[in-house]
Amino acid sequence: MLSKLFKKRKLQIFAPVNGEIIPLDQVPDPVFSQKMLGEGIAIMPVQGNIHAPIDGTVVLVSDTKHAIGLRSSDGTEILIHVGLETVSLKGKGFTVLVTAGDKVSVGQSLIEVDWDYIREHAKSIITPIVITNSAERNVQCEVIKEGIMGETVLMTVSAK
């Protein structure tokens, strides 16, 4: 009864790094562009490290340090995949600052990235931010050109 009185809460997902915003369908990797992992957006970083785009819990840190998974209190699951074909770097160029189970806040540093190394040794520095359980959510991606870490809202997510 009371739930009808309240509007559905929307989760705001902030830019995890400064850069140019790229629609997911324009990412030069079919896993992301065909949304096999879920709905989302990508960013072409210009500087800085990867920061938490939400308040939540770290649920995954890849062994190769190129990807991190977060879960918000509403159950939304977010994957930040730093660069394309970066798994082959075997962790070089990345310093992870958190571990699975850690609570994080918007703007908290998650991964230090050597962008020059990534640019030189990987396919691309394009960084997809994907809602891995988007089939269960309403995801609205903002139509913007540039993201500022911790300030720019990239997506809003609510329960279906």
Side-chain angles (χ1 to χ4, degrees):
M1 292 271 215
L2 285 176
S3 63
K4 290 182 180 179
L5 298 175
F6 296 98
K7 288 184 175 178
K8 287 183 186 176
R9 288 197 57 196
K10 291 187 176 186
L11 173 68
Q12 292 184 317
I13 299 171
F14 293 89
V17 64
N18 295 334
E20 176 191 352
I21 306 304
I22 298 168
L24 203 59
D25 63 5
Q26 293 179 22
V27 172
D29 183 319
V31 171
F32 296 107
S33 65
Q34 295 175 19
K35 302 180 181 179
M36 293 179 200
L37 294 177
E39 184 62 63
I41 205 161
I43 196 161
M44 177 66 82
V46 291
Q47 65 179 19
N49 295 317
I50 301 298
H51 298 81
I54 59 163
D55 294 338
T57 304
V58 177
V59 293
L60 166 89
V61 176
S62 70
D63 293 340
T64 50
K65 304 176 185 177
H66 73 288
I68 192 161
L70 305 170
R71 182 180 298 124
S72 70
S73 59
D74 75 354
T76 300
E77 296 175 354
I78 300 165
L79 174 71
I80 302 171
H81 192 284
V82 185
L84 301 179
E85 297 183 17
T86 45
V87 70
S88 63
L89 302 179
K90 299 183 177 146
K92 290 182 184 161
F94 305 101
T95 303
V96 178
L97 306 173
V98 294
T99 57
D102 287 357
K103 301 279 187 208
V104 296
S105 302
V106 170
Q108 181 177 336
S109 211
L110 302 175
I111 305 172
E112 292 177 353
V113 183
D114 180 343
W115 293 112
D116 292 333
Y117 183 86
I118 307 303
R119 201 177 276 110
E120 188 176 328
H121 294 92
K123 179 179 178 182
S124 175
I125 64 168
I126 290 174
T127 298
I129 301 107
V130 178
I131 309 302
T132 56
N133 60 347
S134 62
E136 308 160 11
R137 303 272 188 269
N138 291 315
V139 179
Q140 179 181 346
C141 297
E142 300 300 322
V143 180
I144 49 176
K145 291 191 185 291
E146 188 177 348
I148 298 170
M149 187 284 297
E151 292 181 19
T152 306
V153 175
L154 300 180
M155 294 177 275
T156 54
V157 181
S158 61
K160 279 194 171 178

